[in-house]
Amino acid sequence: MADITESAVRGVLETVIDPATGKNIVALGMVSGIATRGGHVAVTLEVDPARGAALEPLRQACEQAVRALAGVLSATAVMTAERPAAPSPPTRPAPPPRTGHGPAAAARIDVPGVKHIIAVASGKGGVGKSTTAVNLALGLTANGVATGLLDADIYGPSMPRMLAVKEKPESADGKMLKPIERYGLRTMSIGYIVAEDTPMIWRGPMVSSALEQMLRDVQWGDLDVLVVDMPPGTGDAQLTLAQRVALSGAVIVSTPQDIALIDARKGLSMFRKVAVPVLGIVENMSYFLCPKCGERSEIFGHGGAHEEADKLGVPFLGEIPLHLDIRMTSDSGHPIVVSKPDSPHAQVYKNIAGRVWKQLTANQRGPRPAPKIVMR
Ligand code: ADP
């Protein structure tokens, strides 16, 4: 396959017209960056923050135009604007300023009443991301933090199973859905609405609009933290979510064997690309704790995540053993943090939750410099 050149990308972007001026976006100097790698193209648009959400169709038009180029496997366009951080509203502590995205910030999904939205992500499926998300959310609740949990893993929603939810969410006015409360946690999942065995095929834009609805059309109320269980992987859909949702930070779940591979790194670089702070890495299935004799075996060569986190300059949040109790409790709808709250495993999750909360509140002390999107 022929390499996609920057000039070819620039060429198609010349066909994208800004409706406000009637000129093409290249001529207007809006294209501030083009990065291509093996069929994946990323475009940065430098735009006037005042035009805000109005430019979202233009951003989409850029992606469409680039996607039409022969050999393009994926196209992502992000909007950035250089401007000082907006002052925090006086009424509630603001999440770290994310104004580096400029107009995307205006279009970005923020949930009124929710102080922090955090993502739980993984480089690939099956590493225990959902198990970690649910126990982390319950660990936050156990620490006295008002918490919600949004299952955004729309390819394989697990909250109906992990929280034993059979009922459908209610709506008082036919517009807003009431979250389903479990163990003091307000939760929502596409799996509450669609039967678990219904095959769902989602394309990128549908993923973000489904998530957008679950964020906007659910009465989350006042929450300190909303934990979002992301779809596994680091594709376009995940990148869009990371970019569109006003995230205070992300937690990356990995197993020791994936750390050796590069899946977790991919997650890290995805969040860095959209300037979302990575709160840290959790190593799941870190070691095997024999339920009979209590002996600890490090079958996957444990400890890699800690080292890797140090190397990458992100906090290490903790290690969770591979243990039957963790699987049985979460698969039966009674996650370990609530069904065996005094167990050492529950304590591990609560400690991780404590570290996450500490970081979120530490972030509030001083505004971070306005982030700028970096294309890699
Ligand atoms: P993901 O969300 O990454 O696809 P899940 O959280 O659904 O992964 O976990 C996959 C399976 O592994 C589930 O059956 C879950 O109960 C089990 N599991 C996850 N973490 C652990 C653990 N630390 N010990 C034992 N089983 C686990």
Side-chain angles (χ1 to χ4, degrees):
M1 192 191 352
D3 270 347
I4 296 150
T5 62
E6 199 184 308
S7 71
V9 175
R10 199 170 291 278
V12 290
L13 290 175
E14 276 171 350
T15 65
V16 180
I17 306 296
D18 172 17
T21 56
K23 293 194 179 133
N24 84 64
I25 57 167
V26 177
L28 287 169
M30 284 168 77
V31 179
S32 59
I34 295 173
T36 68
R37 206 170 50 193
H40 301 280
V41 181
V43 175
T44 324
L45 303 172
E46 193 79 32
V47 293
D48 173 4
R51 293 179 65 190
L55 286 169
E56 173 60 11
L58 195 71
R59 188 192 68 75
Q60 289 179 13
C62 289
E63 290 189 346
Q64 248 172 24
V66 176
R67 243 174 243 137
L69 260 180
V72 169
L73 300 175
S74 75
T76 312
V78 290
M79 296 192 279
T80 73
E82 285 290 89
R83 66 171 184 185
S88 313
T91 44
R92 71 180 178 100
R98 298 284 314 283
T99 45
H101 296 283
R108 258 211 328 268
I109 310 163
D110 203 349
V111 186
V114 176
K115 288 182 196 151
H116 296 286
I117 307 177
I118 62 169
V120 177
S122 62
K124 62 170 199 181
V127 302
K129 171 182 56 57
S130 301
T131 308
T132 308
V134 76
N135 281 299
L136 166 65
L138 290 166
L140 284 164
T141 310
N143 282 320
V145 176
T147 307
L149 176 64
L150 170 60
D151 181 4
D153 187 349
I154 60 169
Y155 301 106
S158 22
M159 291 319 150
R161 171 173 49 94
M162 291 192 174
L163 294 168
V165 172
K166 300 241 178 333
E167 68 265 39
K168 300 246 174 287
E170 292 171 5
S171 173
D173 59 1
K175 286 191 202 118
M176 297 289 282
L177 288 178
K178 280 214 304 213
I180 292 183
E181 198 154 330
R182 277 290 183 281
Y183 311 117
L185 199 63
R186 280 174 231 160
T187 75
M188 184 51 66
S189 167
I190 197 96
Y192 297 169
I193 302 159
V194 183
E196 215 172 337
D197 51 5
T198 307
M200 281 182 278
I201 300 161
W202 301 88
R203 274 181 278 124
M206 292 160 70
V207 176
S208 34
S209 77
L211 177 77
E212 195 167 330
Q213 279 182 24
M214 288 196 289
L215 283 166
R216 287 210 171 119
D217 302 345
V218 172
Q219 286 165 328
W220 291 108
D222 288 332
L223 289 177
D224 295 316
V225 181
L226 178 61
V227 176
V228 179
D229 182 9
M230 296 273 284
T234 50
D236 265 3
Q238 289 79 354
L239 182 68
T240 310
L241 296 191
Q243 183 195 347
R244 292 285 317 276
V245 180
L247 294 172
S248 294
V251 171
I252 294 176
V253 181
S254 180
T255 59
Q257 60 275 49
D258 302 312
I259 277 291
L261 306 169
I262 53 165
D263 286 319
R265 279 171 186 253
K266 282 195 229 152
L268 198 72
S269 76
M270 174 176 84
F271 288 109
R272 284 192 168 157
K273 211 185 271 178
V274 291
V276 170
V278 173
L279 302 170
I281 295 180
V282 171
E283 186 176 88
N284 188 36
M285 309 191 199
S286 182
Y287 52 91
F288 177 70
L289 207 53
C290 174
K292 291 207 178 101
C293 66
E295 197 196 336
R296 174 175 166 142
S297 331
E298 300 183 348
I299 39 183
F300 300 125
H302 129 269
H306 202 162
E307 264 171 40
E308 199 65 24
D310 288 348
K311 239 190 267 167
L312 297 167
V314 293
F316 181 67
L317 294 171
E319 49 194 38
I320 303 158
L322 174 69
H323 199 283
L324 195 60
D325 281 354
I326 297 179
R327 191 178 75 71
M328 300 232 302
T329 51
S330 77
D331 290 356
S332 67
H334 309 284
I336 198 147
V337 168
V338 283
S339 58
K340 300 192 176 186
D342 299 324
S343 65
H345 311 316
Q347 197 52 51
V348 169
Y349 286 115
K350 286 186 224 171
N351 290 347
I352 291 173
R355 285 183 199 117
V356 166
W357 178 241
K358 204 167 152 195
Q359 286 210 53
L360 288 173
T361 41
N363 277 346
Q364 280 174 5
R365 258 181 238 130
R368 295 186 306 129
K372 183 167 165 57
I373 293 184
V374 181
M375 301 313 261
R376 280 165 226 260

Coordinates of all heavy atoms in Angstrom, one line a residue, residues 173-248:
D173 N -40.4 11.8 32.6 CA -41.0 12.7 31.6 C -40.8 12.2 30.1 O -41.1 12.9 29.2 CB -40.3 14.1 31.7 CG -38.8 14.0 31.5 OD1 -38.3 12.8 31.3 OD2 -38.1 15.0 31.6
G174 N -40.4 11.0 30.0 CA -40.2 10.4 28.6 C -39.0 11.0 28.0 O -38.7 10.6 26.8
K175 N -38.2 11.8 28.6 CA -37.0 12.3 28.0 C -35.7 11.9 28.8 O -34.8 11.4 28.2 CB -37.0 13.9 28.0 CG -38.0 14.4 27.0 CD -37.8 15.9 26.8 CE -39.0 16.6 26.2 NZ -39.6 17.5 27.1
M176 N -35.8 12.2 30.1 CA -34.6 11.8 30.9 C -34.8 10.5 31.6 O -35.9 10.2 32.1 CB -34.4 12.9 32.0 CG -34.1 14.3 31.5 SD -32.5 14.5 30.8 CE -31.5 14.6 32.3
L177 N -33.7 9.7 31.6 CA -33.8 8.4 32.3 C -33.3 8.5 33.7 O -32.3 9.3 34.0 CB -32.9 7.4 31.6 CG -33.3 6.9 30.2 CD1 -32.3 5.9 29.6 CD2 -34.7 6.2 30.3
K178 N -33.9 7.7 34.6 CA -33.4 7.7 36.0 C -32.3 6.6 36.1 O -32.5 5.5 35.6 CB -34.5 7.3 36.9 CG -35.4 8.5 37.3 CD -35.9 8.5 38.7 CE -36.7 7.3 39.0 NZ -37.8 7.4 39.9
P179 N -31.1 7.0 36.6 CA -30.1 5.9 36.8 C -30.6 4.8 37.7 O -31.5 5.1 38.5 CB -28.9 6.7 37.4 CG -29.5 7.9 37.9 CD -30.7 8.2 37.2
I180 N -30.1 3.6 37.6 CA -30.5 2.5 38.5 C -29.5 2.5 39.6 O -28.3 2.4 39.4 CB -30.6 1.2 37.7 CG1 -31.8 1.3 36.7 CG2 -30.7 0.0 38.6 CD1 -32.1 0.1 35.9
E181 N -30.0 2.5 40.8 CA -29.1 2.6 42.0 C -28.8 1.2 42.5 O -29.7 0.4 42.7 CB -29.7 3.5 43.0 CG -28.6 3.9 44.0 CD -29.0 5.2 44.7 OE1 -29.6 6.1 44.1 OE2 -28.5 5.4 45.9
R182 N -27.5 0.9 42.7 CA -27.1 -0.3 43.3 C -26.0 -0.1 44.3 O -25.0 0.6 43.9 CB -26.5 -1.3 42.2 CG -27.5 -2.1 41.4 CD -28.1 -3.1 42.3 NE -29.1 -3.9 41.5 CZ -30.3 -3.6 41.2 NH1 -30.8 -2.4 41.5 NH2 -31.1 -4.4 40.5
Y183 N -26.1 -0.6 45.5 CA -25.0 -0.4 46.5 C -24.6 1.0 46.7 O -23.4 1.3 46.8 CB -23.8 -1.3 46.1 CG -24.1 -2.7 45.7 CD1 -23.8 -3.2 44.5 CD2 -24.7 -3.6 46.7 CE1 -24.1 -4.5 44.1 CE2 -25.0 -4.9 46.3 CZ -24.7 -5.4 45.0 OH -25.0 -6.6 44.7
G184 N -25.6 1.9 46.6 CA -25.2 3.3 46.8 C -24.6 4.0 45.5 O -24.2 5.2 45.6
L185 N -24.6 3.3 44.4 CA -23.9 3.7 43.2 C -25.0 4.0 42.2 O -25.9 3.2 42.0 CB -23.1 2.6 42.7 CG -22.0 2.8 41.7 CD1 -20.9 3.7 42.3 CD2 -21.3 1.4 41.4
R186 N -25.0 5.2 41.5 CA -26.0 5.4 40.4 C -25.4 4.9 39.1 O -24.3 5.3 38.8 CB -26.2 6.9 40.3 CG -27.2 7.4 41.3 CD -27.3 8.9 41.3 NE -27.2 9.4 42.6 CZ -26.9 10.7 43.0 NH1 -26.6 11.6 42.0 NH2 -26.7 11.1 44.2
T187 N -26.1 4.1 38.5 CA -25.5 3.4 37.3 C -26.4 3.5 36.1 O -27.6 3.6 36.2 CB -25.3 1.9 37.6 OG1 -26.5 1.2 37.5 CG2 -24.6 1.7 38.9
M188 N -25.8 3.4 34.9 CA -26.5 3.3 33.6 C -25.7 2.5 32.7 O -24.4 2.6 32.7 CB -26.7 4.8 33.1 CG -27.6 4.8 31.8 SD -29.1 3.9 31.9 CE -30.0 4.8 33.1
S189 N -26.4 1.7 31.9 CA -25.7 0.9 30.9 C -26.6 0.7 29.7 O -27.9 0.6 29.9 CB -25.4 -0.5 31.5 OG -25.0 -1.4 30.5
I190 N -26.1 0.6 28.5 CA -26.9 0.3 27.3 C -27.5 -1.0 27.5 O -28.6 -1.3 27.0 CB -26.0 0.5 26.0 CG1 -26.9 0.6 24.8 CG2 -25.1 -0.7 25.9 CD1 -27.1 2.0 24.4
G191 N -26.8 -1.9 28.3 CA -27.3 -3.2 28.6 C -28.6 -3.2 29.4 O -29.3 -4.2 29.4
Y192 N -29.0 -2.1 30.0 CA -30.2 -2.0 30.8 C -31.4 -1.8 29.8 O -32.5 -2.1 30.1 CB -30.2 -0.8 31.7 CG -29.2 -0.9 32.9 CD1 -29.0 0.2 33.7 CD2 -28.5 -2.0 33.1 CE1 -28.1 0.2 34.7 CE2 -27.6 -2.0 34.2 CZ -27.4 -0.9 34.9 OH -26.5 -0.9 35.9
I193 N -31.0 -1.3 28.6 CA -32.1 -0.9 27.7 C -32.2 -2.0 26.6 O -33.3 -2.3 26.2 CB -31.7 0.5 27.0 CG1 -31.6 1.5 28.2 CG2 -32.7 0.9 26.0 CD1 -30.8 2.7 27.8
V194 N -31.1 -2.5 26.1 CA -31.1 -3.5 25.1 C -30.7 -4.8 25.7 O -29.9 -4.9 26.5 CB -30.0 -3.1 24.0 CG1 -30.0 -4.1 22.8 CG2 -30.2 -1.7 23.5
A195 N -31.4 -5.9 25.2 CA -31.2 -7.2 25.8 C -29.7 -7.6 25.6 O -29.2 -7.3 24.5 CB -32.1 -8.2 25.2
E196 N -29.1 -8.3 26.6 CA -27.7 -8.6 26.5 C -27.3 -9.4 25.3 O -26.2 -9.3 24.8 CB -27.3 -9.3 27.8 CG -25.9 -8.9 28.2 CD -25.5 -9.5 29.6 OE1 -26.5 -9.8 30.4 OE2 -24.3 -9.6 29.9
D197 N -28.2 -10.3 24.8 CA -27.9 -11.1 23.7 C -28.2 -10.5 22.3 O -28.1 -11.1 21.3 CB -28.5 -12.5 23.8 CG -30.0 -12.4 24.1 OD1 -30.5 -11.3 24.0 OD2 -30.7 -13.4 24.3
T198 N -28.6 -9.2 22.3 CA -28.9 -8.6 21.0 C -27.5 -8.2 20.4 O -26.8 -7.4 21.0 CB -29.7 -7.3 21.2 OG1 -30.9 -7.7 22.0 CG2 -30.1 -6.7 19.9
P199 N -27.3 -8.7 19.2 CA -26.0 -8.2 18.7 C -26.1 -6.8 18.3 O -27.0 -6.3 17.7 CB -25.8 -9.1 17.4 CG -27.2 -9.6 17.1 CD -28.0 -9.5 18.4
M200 N -25.1 -6.0 18.7 CA -25.1 -4.6 18.3 C -23.8 -4.3 17.5 O -22.7 -4.6 17.8 CB -25.1 -3.8 19.6 CG -26.4 -3.7 20.2 SD -26.4 -2.7 21.7 CE -25.8 -3.9 22.9
I201 N -24.1 -3.6 16.4 CA -23.0 -3.3 15.5 C -22.9 -1.7 15.6 O -23.9 -1.1 15.2 CB -23.2 -3.8 14.1 CG1 -23.3 -5.3 14.1 CG2 -22.0 -3.3 13.2 CD1 -23.9 -5.9 12.9
W202 N -21.8 -1.2 16.0 CA -21.7 0.2 16.1 C -20.6 0.7 15.3 O -19.5 0.1 15.2 CB -21.4 0.6 17.6 CG -22.3 0.1 18.6 CD1 -22.3 -1.1 19.2 CD2 -23.4 0.8 19.1 NE1 -23.4 -1.2 20.1 CE2 -24.1 0.0 20.1 CE3 -23.9 2.1 18.9 CZ2 -25.2 0.4 20.8 CZ3 -25.0 2.5 19.6 CH2 -25.6 1.7 20.5
R203 N -20.8 1.8 14.6 CA -19.7 2.5 14.0 C -19.4 3.7 14.8 O -20.2 4.2 15.6 CB -20.1 2.8 12.5 CG -19.8 1.6 11.7 CD -20.1 1.9 10.2 NE -21.5 1.7 10.0 CZ -22.3 2.6 9.4 NH1 -21.8 3.8 9.1 NH2 -23.6 2.3 9.2
G204 N -18.1 4.2 14.6 CA -17.6 5.3 15.4 C -18.6 6.3 15.9 O -18.8 6.6 17.0
P205 N -19.2 7.0 14.9 CA -20.1 8.1 15.3 C -21.3 7.7 16.1 O -21.8 8.4 17.0 CB -20.6 8.6 13.9 CG -19.7 8.1 12.9 CD -19.1 6.8 13.4
M206 N -21.8 6.4 15.9 CA -22.9 5.9 16.7 C -22.4 5.7 18.2 O -23.2 5.9 19.1 CB -23.4 4.6 16.2 CG -24.1 4.8 14.8 SD -24.1 3.2 14.0 CE -25.3 2.3 14.9
V207 N -21.2 5.3 18.3 CA -20.7 5.1 19.7 C -20.7 6.4 20.4 O -21.2 6.4 21.5 CB -19.2 4.5 19.6 CG1 -18.7 4.3 21.0 CG2 -19.2 3.2 18.9
S208 N -20.2 7.4 19.8 CA -20.2 8.7 20.6 C -21.5 9.2 20.8 O -21.8 9.8 21.8 CB -19.2 9.7 20.0 OG -19.2 9.6 18.6
S209 N -22.5 9.0 19.8 CA -23.8 9.6 20.1 C -24.5 8.8 21.2 O -25.3 9.3 22.0 CB -24.6 9.8 18.8 OG -25.1 8.6 18.4
A210 N -24.3 7.5 21.2 CA -24.9 6.7 22.3 C -24.4 7.1 23.6 O -25.1 7.3 24.6 CB -24.6 5.2 22.0
L211 N -23.1 7.3 23.7 CA -22.5 7.7 25.0 C -23.0 9.1 25.4 O -23.3 9.3 26.5 CB -21.0 7.7 24.9 CG -20.3 8.2 26.2 CD1 -20.3 7.1 27.2 CD2 -18.9 8.7 25.9
E212 N -23.0 9.9 24.4 CA -23.5 11.3 24.6 C -24.9 11.3 25.3 O -25.1 12.0 26.2 CB -23.5 12.0 23.3 CG -23.6 13.5 23.4 CD -23.3 14.2 22.1 OE1 -22.5 13.7 21.3 OE2 -23.9 15.3 21.9
Q213 N -25.7 10.4 24.7 CA -27.1 10.3 25.3 C -27.1 9.8 26.7 O -27.8 10.3 27.6 CB -27.9 9.4 24.4 CG -28.5 10.1 23.2 CD -29.4 9.2 22.4 OE1 -29.9 8.3 22.9 NE2 -29.5 9.5 21.1
M214 N -26.2 8.8 26.9 CA -26.2 8.3 28.3 C -25.6 9.3 29.3 O -25.9 9.2 30.5 CB -25.4 6.9 28.3 CG -26.3 5.8 27.6 SD -25.6 4.2 28.0 CE -24.1 4.2 27.1
L215 N -24.8 10.2 28.8 CA -24.3 11.2 29.7 C -25.3 12.3 29.9 O -25.5 12.8 31.0 CB -23.0 11.8 29.2 CG -21.7 10.9 29.4 CD1 -20.6 11.5 28.5 CD2 -21.3 10.9 30.8
R216 N -25.9 12.7 28.8 CA -26.8 13.9 28.9 C -28.2 13.6 29.3 O -28.8 14.4 29.9 CB -26.8 14.6 27.5 CG -25.6 15.3 27.1 CD -25.8 16.4 26.2 NE -24.6 17.2 26.0 CZ -24.0 17.4 24.8 NH1 -24.5 16.9 23.7 NH2 -22.9 18.1 24.8
D217 N -28.7 12.5 28.9 CA -30.1 12.2 29.1 C -30.4 11.3 30.3 O -31.4 10.7 30.4 CB -30.8 11.5 27.8 CG -30.6 12.4 26.6 OD1 -30.3 13.6 26.8 OD2 -30.8 11.9 25.5
V218 N -29.4 11.3 31.2 CA -29.6 10.5 32.5 C -29.6 11.5 33.6 O -28.7 12.4 33.6 CB -28.5 9.4 32.6 CG1 -28.6 8.8 34.0 CG2 -28.7 8.4 31.5
Q219 N -30.5 11.4 34.5 CA -30.5 12.3 35.7 C -29.4 11.8 36.7 O -29.7 11.2 37.7 CB -31.9 12.3 36.4 CG -32.9 13.0 35.6 CD -34.3 12.7 36.0 OE1 -34.6 11.6 36.5 NE2 -35.2 13.6 35.9
W220 N -28.2 12.2 36.4 CA -27.1 11.8 37.3 C -27.2 12.5 38.6 O -26.8 11.9 39.7 CB -25.8 12.0 36.6 CG -25.5 11.1 35.5 CD1 -25.5 11.5 34.1 CD2 -25.2 9.7 35.5 NE1 -25.2 10.4 33.4 CE2 -25.0 9.3 34.2 CE3 -25.1 8.8 36.5 CZ2 -24.8 8.0 33.8 CZ3 -24.8 7.4 36.2 CH2 -24.7 7.1 34.9
G221 N -27.7 13.7 38.6 CA -27.8 14.4 39.9 C -26.4 14.9 40.3 O -25.5 15.0 39.5
D222 N -26.2 15.3 41.6 CA -24.9 15.7 42.0 C -24.0 14.5 42.4 O -24.4 13.7 43.2 CB -25.1 16.6 43.3 CG -25.7 17.9 43.0 OD1 -25.5 18.4 41.8 OD2 -26.4 18.5 43.8
L223 N -22.9 14.5 41.7 CA -21.9 13.4 42.0 C -20.5 14.0 42.1 O -20.2 15.0 41.4 CB -21.9 12.4 40.8 CG -23.1 11.5 40.6 CD1 -22.8 10.7 39.3 CD2 -23.3 10.6 41.7
D224 N -19.7 13.4 42.9 CA -18.3 13.8 43.0 C -17.6 13.2 41.8 O -16.7 13.8 41.2 CB -17.6 13.3 44.3 CG -18.2 13.9 45.5 OD1 -18.4 15.2 45.5 OD2 -18.5 13.2 46.5
V225 N -17.9 11.9 41.5 CA -17.2 11.2 40.4 C -18.1 10.4 39.6 O -19.0 9.7 40.2 CB -16.1 10.3 41.0 CG1 -15.3 9.6 39.8 CG2 -15.0 11.0 41.8
L226 N -18.0 10.5 38.3 CA -18.7 9.5 37.4 C -17.6 8.7 36.7 O -16.8 9.2 36.0 CB -19.6 10.3 36.4 CG -20.3 9.4 35.4 CD1 -21.3 8.5 36.1 CD2 -21.1 10.3 34.4
V227 N -17.7 7.4 37.0 CA -16.7 6.5 36.4 C -17.3 6.0 35.1 O -18.4 5.5 35.1 CB -16.4 5.3 37.4 CG1 -15.5 4.3 36.7 CG2 -15.9 5.8 38.7
V228 N -16.5 6.1 34.0 CA -17.0 5.6 32.7 C -16.2 4.4 32.3 O -15.0 4.5 32.2 CB -16.8 6.7 31.6 CG1 -17.3 6.2 30.3 CG2 -17.6 8.0 32.0
D229 N -16.9 3.3 32.2 CA -16.2 2.1 31.8 C -16.2 2.1 30.2 O -17.2 2.0 29.6 CB -17.1 0.9 32.3 CG -16.5 -0.5 31.9 OD1 -15.3 -0.5 31.4 OD2 -17.1 -1.5 32.1
M230 N -15.0 2.4 29.7 CA -14.9 2.6 28.3 C -15.0 1.4 27.4 O -14.7 0.3 28.0 CB -13.5 3.3 28.0 CG -13.3 4.6 28.6 SD -13.8 5.9 27.6 CE -12.5 6.0 26.3
P231 N -15.3 1.5 26.2 CA -15.1 0.3 25.3 C -13.7 -0.1 25.3 O -12.8 0.8 25.3 CB -15.6 0.8 23.9 CG -16.2 2.1 24.1 CD -15.7 2.7 25.4
P232 N -13.3 -1.4 25.2 CA -11.9 -1.8 25.2 C -11.2 -1.3 23.9 O -11.9 -1.2 22.9 CB -11.9 -3.3 25.3 CG -13.3 -3.7 24.8 CD -14.2 -2.6 25.1
G233 N -9.9 -1.1 24.0 CA -9.2 -0.7 22.8 C -8.9 0.7 22.7 O -9.4 1.6 23.5
T234 N -8.2 1.1 21.6 CA -7.8 2.5 21.4 C -8.0 2.9 20.0 O -7.2 3.6 19.4 CB -6.3 2.6 21.7 OG1 -5.6 1.6 21.0 CG2 -6.0 2.4 23.2
G235 N -9.2 2.5 19.5 CA -9.5 2.9 18.1 C -10.1 4.2 18.0 O -10.1 5.0 19.0
D236 N -10.6 4.5 16.9 CA -11.3 5.8 16.6 C -12.4 6.2 17.6 O -12.5 7.3 18.1 CB -11.9 5.8 15.2 CG -10.9 6.4 14.2 OD1 -9.8 6.7 14.6 OD2 -11.4 6.5 13.0
A237 N -13.2 5.1 17.8 CA -14.4 5.4 18.7 C -13.9 5.8 20.1 O -14.4 6.8 20.7 CB -15.2 4.1 18.8
Q238 N -12.9 5.1 20.6 CA -12.4 5.4 22.0 C -11.7 6.8 22.0 O -11.9 7.6 22.9 CB -11.4 4.4 22.4 CG -11.9 3.0 22.7 CD -12.2 2.2 21.5 OE1 -12.1 2.7 20.3 NE2 -12.6 1.0 21.7
L239 N -11.0 7.1 20.9 CA -10.4 8.4 20.8 C -11.4 9.5 20.8 O -11.3 10.5 21.5 CB -9.5 8.5 19.6 CG -8.7 9.8 19.4 CD1 -7.6 9.9 20.5 CD2 -8.1 9.9 18.0
T240 N -12.5 9.3 20.1 CA -13.5 10.3 20.0 C -14.1 10.5 21.4 O -14.4 11.6 21.8 CB -14.6 9.9 19.0 OG1 -14.0 9.5 17.8 CG2 -15.6 11.0 18.7
L241 N -14.4 9.4 22.1 CA -14.9 9.5 23.4 C -14.0 10.3 24.3 O -14.4 11.2 25.0 CB -15.2 8.1 24.1 CG -16.1 7.2 23.5 CD1 -16.4 6.0 24.4 CD2 -17.5 7.9 23.2
A242 N -12.7 9.9 24.3 CA -11.7 10.6 25.1 C -11.7 12.1 24.8 O -11.4 12.9 25.7 CB -10.4 10.0 25.0
Q243 N -12.0 12.4 23.6 CA -11.9 13.8 23.1 C -13.1 14.6 23.4 O -13.1 15.7 23.8 CB -11.6 13.7 21.6 CG -11.4 15.0 20.9 CD -11.6 14.9 19.4 OE1 -11.6 13.7 18.9 NE2 -11.7 15.9 18.7
R244 N -14.3 13.9 23.3 CA -15.6 14.6 23.4 C -16.0 14.8 24.9 O -16.7 15.7 25.2 CB -16.7 13.9 22.7 CG -16.6 13.9 21.2 CD -16.9 15.2 20.5 NE -18.1 15.9 21.0 CZ -19.3 15.6 20.6 NH1 -19.5 14.7 19.7 NH2 -20.3 16.3 21.1
V245 N -15.7 13.8 25.7 CA -16.2 13.9 27.1 C -15.2 14.7 27.9 O -14.0 14.6 27.8 CB -16.3 12.5 27.7 CG1 -16.8 12.5 29.1 CG2 -17.3 11.6 26.9
A246 N -15.7 15.6 28.8 CA -14.8 16.4 29.6 C -14.3 15.6 30.7 O -14.7 15.6 31.9 CB -15.7 17.6 30.1
L247 N -13.3 14.8 30.4 CA -12.7 13.9 31.4 C -11.7 14.6 32.3 O -10.8 15.4 31.9 CB -11.9 12.8 30.7 CG -12.8 11.8 29.9 CD1 -11.9 10.9 29.1 CD2 -13.7 11.0 30.8
S248 N -11.8 14.3 33.6 CA -10.7 14.8 34.5 C -9.5 13.9 34.5 O -8.4 14.3 35.0 CB -11.3 14.8 36.0 OG -12.3 15.7 36.1

